[in-house]
Amino acid sequence: MKGILLLLLVLQSLCVHGNDTPNFVIIMADDCTFRDLEVYGGQAKTPNLIKFASEGMKFNRCFQSTAMCAPTRQSLLTGIYPVRLGAYANHSKTNEGIKSIVHHLTPLNYLTALTGKRHIGPESVYPFMYSQNTSDPDLDFIKGVLKKSKNINQPFCIFAMCSSPHAPWTKGDVSQYPLNDIQLAPYLIDTKETREAYSKYLAEITYFDQQVGEIVQLIEEFNLEENTIVIVLSEQGSLFPFEKWTCYDAGLQSALLVRFPKVVSEGVETHAMVEYVDIVPTLLDFAGIKPISKMDGKSFKEVLLTSKQKHKNHVFGVQTTRGINAAKQAYGIRSVRNDSLKYIVNLFPENHFENTLLMDPEKWSSLRKSYLWWMQSWRKEATKNYKAYMLLKRYQHRSAIELYHVKNDPYELTNLALNPNYKKDMEELAKELELWMIAQGDEGRDTELKIPIR
């Protein structure tokens, strides 16, 4: 009898720790607006992502909780929304005692590694094996993890965090993007300088695409592709106005591509709404384990297995200027989005929205001058062009309440908050946002003003 029990334990161990346990590779860009990717209909050439999408599933409605690096990354790695996490301001750190994916995967003996950009902390919450390169994924480091995993038959989870296309946009082939061919979003002021900056930004997206191709190729060289779930994310929007540091879709919506051969169908798309906080629960679901602590996210494994078109009814956003460069006044923002409408609350509408783009050019560092020079042309254009003037004004001064029909108005240009036809919709969304904030311990203005204390 004892022998049979021992055999069962061995078989169970092989099932959990052997080749049937999926590996995970998550590749993420930095400051990349999802709609600029060719794979999402944009102008930046992404041949590797197009091929990758043809081999798996493309999510058309993936969202993060905030359009800033540190909160986004920490929410991704924990499955917890920013305020409850404690890391809702940029350059902030997670509360001690929070569990990240490393802690959840440790019982299954995963090799958990992170290479490239970090912007997370403290290390007790994120005890990854780290590469020395903190700018871009280190291919040699990834190769070492893959080799070690294969030698000792141990599953792995690798986060490859790229720094592109974050400014100052010095990588990639700009000649692929002639200025006259570039199409700018209607919320951007069209100047020669803006086009020059955008050309460099698009070139760096293509550089990121190349990095994705190199990492995927490494996985295939080790013959690990069939048992490896690979996820590609674009992170928040770029630093161009109305994208990063906002709760508009251009800031919060993200590319999400998933490949898992013979498990996830090839070349399929889903309109299911998912969030970054859902990614860790999904990976744990595939690994066959339950979280060891409470997370806000919800596994979308069923979406991947069945191409289901529904996951969540609402997604949420939180944004603060506290902690970002050049912001002197508090300007907290909260949002909730359903299938077709986005409801935004600006907690300090009496204040001016401020960030690096809007700071006095005389105070720009040499680094900022290298990627913000085009903003001077916006100020100049606004003195002689009424449309430019109104765009720049709208960026700095917003209504207390904003409502957009994101299906009909994807660039969120027409505020419907005062339209009586949407009164009931607004009330329903306002209630959803209120309940979410209560659940997160988010006290709105008070929570914003507590940030310096943290």
Side-chain angles (χ1 to χ4, degrees):
M1 186 68 179
K2 288 183 179 178
I4 294 174
L5 287 174
L6 182 60
L7 177 61
L8 288 173
L9 287 171
V10 171
L11 290 173
Q12 182 182 24
S13 176
L14 288 173
C15 180
V16 171
H17 300 293
N19 291 330
D20 289 337
T21 306
N23 306 304
F24 308 124
V25 175
I26 298 87
I27 309 169
M28 189 159 78
D30 190 5
D31 283 12
C32 179
T33 305
F34 81 100
R35 62 168 63 111
D36 289 326
L37 298 164
E38 184 182 19
V39 70
Y40 279 88
Q43 301 167 84
K45 296 176 174 62
T46 58
N48 290 297
L49 291 183
I50 289 174
K51 180 177 182 295
F52 185 85
S54 72
E55 298 167 345
M57 180 177 289
K58 181 171 82 167
F59 284 74
N60 292 319
R61 295 196 299 181
C62 171
F63 299 86
Q64 51 210 52
S65 311
T66 185
M68 294 189 299
C69 291
T72 285
R73 290 158 189 268
Q74 292 172 98
S75 278
L76 167 67
L77 296 171
T78 60
I80 300 173
Y81 290 121
V83 171
R84 193 165 79 83
L85 195 61
Y88 56 102
N90 210 14
H91 311 291
S92 60
K93 294 182 178 181
T94 300
N95 291 330
E96 288 281 2
I98 295 286
K99 305 299 182 185
S100 71
I101 189 171
V102 183
H103 301 99
H104 295 293
L105 290 179
T106 294
L108 282 187
N109 201 31
Y110 268 79
L111 290 170
T112 52
L114 189 150
T115 178
K117 182 171 179 175
R118 300 182 188 179
H119 224 166
I120 57 177
E123 200 163 311
S124 60
V125 177
Y126 305 102
F128 288 97
M129 293 188 298
Y130 290 101
S131 68
Q132 291 187 344
N133 188 338
T134 59
S135 176
D136 269 319
D138 185 327
L139 293 180
D140 288 335
F141 175 82
I142 295 174
K143 191 180 296 184
V145 175
L146 299 182
K147 186 176 181 180
K148 182 177 180 181
S149 168
K150 205 155 189 186
N151 287 343
I152 62 177
N153 196 30
Q154 190 173 358
F156 60 83
C157 176
I158 302 172
F159 284 84
M161 315 302 257
C162 305
S163 62
S164 296
H166 193 292
W169 309 313
T170 57
K171 304 165 187 170
D173 181 7
V174 180
S175 68
Q176 294 185 76
Y177 302 100
L179 301 192
N180 292 335
D181 294 344
I182 290 174
Q183 296 180 7
L184 297 175
Y187 50 71
L188 299 182
I189 297 176
D190 191 349
T191 66
K192 177 176 178 291
E193 290 83 358
T194 305
R195 287 175 173 271
E196 288 173 348
Y198 220 83
S199 175
K200 293 181 177 182
Y201 158 69
L202 293 175
E204 192 146 321
I205 293 178
T206 301
Y207 177 83
F208 162 70
D209 178 79
Q210 177 186 323
Q211 291 180 301
V212 173
E214 291 170 346
I215 295 168
V216 170
Q217 185 179 346
L218 259 184
I219 296 167
E220 293 170 352
E221 285 177 5
F222 278 82
N223 296 315
L224 291 166
E225 65 271 18
E226 287 199 2
N227 197 38
T228 302
I229 299 175
V230 182
I231 293 175
V232 180
L233 300 163
S234 64
E235 210 205 30
Q236 72 260 341
S238 75
L239 63 72
F240 288 101
F242 302 101
E243 298 184 355
K244 187 178 180 180
W245 303 303
T246 75
C247 279
Y248 301 121
D249 276 6
L252 293 179
Q253 191 164 348
S254 171
L256 169 58
L257 306 172
V258 183
R259 188 186 80 170
F260 192 12
K262 299 181 181 178
V263 177
V264 175
S265 298
E266 295 185 0
V268 294
E269 299 184 21
T270 178
H271 295 289
M273 287 201 298
V274 301
E275 299 178 282
Y276 273 31
V277 292
D278 299 331
I279 290 175
V280 167
T282 302
L283 299 182
L284 299 186
D285 201 358
F286 271 104
I289 58 175
K290 293 183 178 180
I292 59 175
S293 61
K294 185 179 182 296
M295 289 188 287
D296 293 320
K298 172 187 173 186
S299 170
F300 54 81
K301 180 180 178 181
E302 188 180 354
V303 175
L304 290 166
L305 296 181
T306 66
S307 301
K308 188 179 176 183
Q309 298 295 312
K310 191 82 173 177
H311 182 62
K312 285 182 169 179
N313 294 321
H314 300 91
V315 295
F316 300 92
V318 51
Q319 175 65 32
T320 176
T321 59
R322 306 291 264 186
I324 69 174
N325 293 324
K328 303 179 188 67
Q329 298 177 306
Y331 204 94
I333 312 170
R334 304 292 186 268
S335 69
V336 57
R337 185 197 195 279
N338 63 20
D339 181 62
S340 57
L341 295 171
K342 164 78 70 66
Y343 176 79
I344 301 173
V345 177
N346 296 304
L347 300 173
F348 297 87
E350 70 277 13
N351 290 347
H352 296 170
F353 176 77
E354 299 170 314
N355 62 13
T356 301
L357 295 174
L358 299 168
M359 71 186 298
D360 183 352
E362 295 296 323
K363 298 180 180 179
W364 285 351
S365 64
S366 58
L367 175 61
R368 289 197 181 104
K369 287 178 182 177
S370 71
Y371 62 84
L372 292 181
W373 87 96
W374 54 273
M375 197 63 192
Q376 290 275 44
S377 70
W378 277 48
R379 295 183 177 90
K380 184 177 180 181
E381 191 68 18
T383 63
K384 57 184 180 180
N385 181 314
Y386 181 71
K387 180 182 177 182
Y389 167 78
M390 291 304 295
L391 280 172
L392 196 55
K393 182 180 179 181
R394 180 188 169 220
Y395 190 48
Q396 298 173 81
H397 308 279
R398 303 176 198 169
S399 302
I401 303 295
E402 297 176 78
L403 181 73
Y404 299 99
H405 196 298
V406 286
K407 275 191 174 180
N408 299 337
D409 179 21
Y411 292 109
E412 293 163 271
L413 299 174
T414 304
N415 186 2
L416 302 171
L418 298 179
N419 188 324
N421 295 330
Y422 291 94
K423 182 180 179 182
K424 185 178 179 181
D425 294 301
M426 281 185 58
E427 290 173 349
E428 291 175 354
L429 289 171
K431 188 62 178 177
E432 287 289 342
L433 183 58
E434 179 188 12
L435 291 173
W436 178 72
M437 289 175 66
I438 291 172
Q440 292 296 308
D442 186 349
E443 299 174 337
R445 289 174 68 109
D446 287 344
T447 294
E448 290 295 304
L449 296 175
K450 287 177 184 176
I451 290 173
I453 298 174
R454 269 195 49 75

